[in-house]
Amino acid sequence: MALMADTYLETSAAAGRLFGRVFTLPATGLDWLQNRLEMARSRRTLLTLDDRMLADIGLDRATARTEGEKGFWR
C-alpha cells in the first residue's frame, strides 16, 4: 500500500511541476516582452534630451543616439 501512495505522490509532484512550467512560460515571455518594450521606450527618450540633460546623466549625444536607435530586441 505504501508503494502505491509513494507512486501517487511522485506522479502528483511531477504533474504539479509540469503544470507550473506550462503556465509560467507564457508569463515569463510576456514579462520579457514588457521589459524589452520599456527599455525601447527609455532609449527613445534619450533621443529627446538636450545636451545639458545628457551631460547630467553622463552621456554625450553620440552615445545617446547609439542607444536610442537600438531595436527593442537588443
Side-chain angles (χ1 to χ4, degrees), residues 32-57:
W32 177 85
L33 181 60
Q34 184 178 16
N35 289 338
R36 291 301 175 157
L37 292 174
E38 176 64 24
M39 189 180 306
R41 186 194 64 75
S42 296
R43 287 177 171 162
R44 282 192 311 271
T45 301
L46 287 175
L47 298 174
T48 66
L49 301 178
D50 63 25
D51 290 333
R52 181 186 55 80
M53 291 177 182
L54 289 171
D56 284 346
I57 60 173

Side-chain angles (χ1 to χ4, degrees), residues 2-70:
L3 181 60
M4 287 180 64
D6 291 340
T7 303
Y8 175 76
L9 290 175
E10 290 172 12
T11 304
S12 296
R17 286 191 300 273
L18 177 62
F19 184 78
R21 285 188 199 134
V22 168
F23 286 99
T24 57
L25 285 177
T28 303
L30 291 175
D31 290 341
W32 177 85
L33 181 60
Q34 184 178 16
N35 289 338
R36 291 301 175 157
L37 292 174
E38 176 64 24
M39 189 180 306
R41 186 194 64 75
S42 296
R43 287 177 171 162
R44 282 192 311 271
T45 301
L46 287 175
L47 298 174
T48 66
L49 301 178
D50 63 25
D51 290 333
R52 181 186 55 80
M53 291 177 182
L54 289 171
D56 284 346
I57 60 173
L59 296 177
D60 61 0
R61 176 68 50 200
T63 305
R65 187 176 303 116
T66 300
E67 282 297 314
E69 293 174 350
K70 286 183 179 179

